[in-house]
Amino acid sequence: MPQPQNTLAPQPSNRLLDFLVQNAPPKIFPTAGRVFLESMQGKRDPITEADFSPDELNQLRQLIKATENKGNVQYSDYVNERNRRLREEFLPTVHLPPSILAITNPLGNLAGTLGRFTYVRDADGNLRAIDDYDFNRSNTTSTSYNPLAILRRYAGEKMPPGTGRSVNINLGK
């Protein structure tokens, strides 16, 4: 008797989600939500320092500094920064990544917008965060009905690798 194949179950229709995303006003959302909505609505110009608040840019510099010049930021670096902030600032854990409430603060907005990225010093000595804002198709099964999994699956369909926006954030010297 043939073994059943481990295939993904049919996903819920994205038509309603697509309608909501396409009609949501990006400007009323924090950075991570705004960039996500603008991108899903078709914006393809580069993501730059102009897309972030001064507090987010300062947090980005701190995050990069904490990586000790390794040239990239990984998800574990956000966790390390979160733990440092928990020790030093006594923030409630729900306000730091990976909580959805994390988009209420600079570190959460960076994690939600940039995720993993590389950084370099350009010829003029400016520190630049560089990446592509796109999404790998999600392999999560239909049992992943939490809001973040649904949005990730949707984003992977709308903006797979190679179709997104470039990230080039100039953090200065």
Side-chain angles (χ1 to χ4, degrees):
M1 174 185 241
Q3 295 291 324
Q5 291 183 343
N6 186 10
T7 59
L8 294 177
Q11 300 299 322
S13 170
N14 281 333
R15 286 186 299 239
L16 176 59
L17 179 57
D18 193 48
F19 175 81
L20 294 172
V21 167
Q22 295 307 315
N23 290 288
K27 292 182 189 220
I28 67 168
F29 289 87
T31 304
R34 179 179 41 78
V35 170
F36 177 83
L37 287 171
E38 289 172 346
S39 300
M40 294 302 115
Q41 292 172 359
K43 189 173 185 177
R44 292 296 182 267
D45 57 328
I47 296 168
T48 70
E49 61 279 2
D51 290 297
F52 296 89
S53 73
D55 287 342
E56 290 164 346
L57 294 172
N58 286 334
Q59 179 66 71
L60 182 56
R61 287 181 191 94
Q62 284 181 295
L63 186 62
I64 289 172
K65 183 179 179 184
T67 66
E68 300 174 352
N69 296 318
K70 71 179 179 181
N72 63 67
V73 170
Q74 300 295 318
Y75 291 112
S76 60
D77 297 314
Y78 291 100
V79 172
N80 293 340
E81 180 65 8
R82 178 193 72 187
N83 292 341
R84 182 196 67 78
R85 290 188 66 194
L86 284 170
R87 284 190 309 274
E88 295 177 11
E89 300 173 31
F90 307 106
L91 292 173
T93 32
V94 296
H95 291 282
L96 294 169
S99 167
I100 188 69
L101 293 177
I103 63 172
T104 64
N105 71 68
L107 181 62
N109 271 306
L110 291 173
T113 306
L114 298 177
R116 293 183 295 215
F117 65 91
T118 59
Y119 58 88
V120 296
R121 289 263 178 210
D122 67 16
D124 296 324
N126 294 307
L127 180 61
R128 292 188 177 272
I130 300 169
D131 197 14
D132 289 317
Y133 185 85
D134 55 15
F135 297 85
N136 293 321
R137 285 188 175 250
S138 175
N139 289 332
T140 57
T141 65
S142 61
T143 59
S144 297
Y145 286 114
N146 73 61
L148 292 177
I150 291 169
L151 287 173
R152 181 109 176 103
R153 190 168 38 242
Y154 170 79
E157 294 168 4
K158 292 290 281 189
M159 187 183 282
T163 65
R165 300 169 67 182
S166 66
V167 175
N168 191 343
I169 302 168
N170 185 345
L171 295 167
K173 297 185 182 195

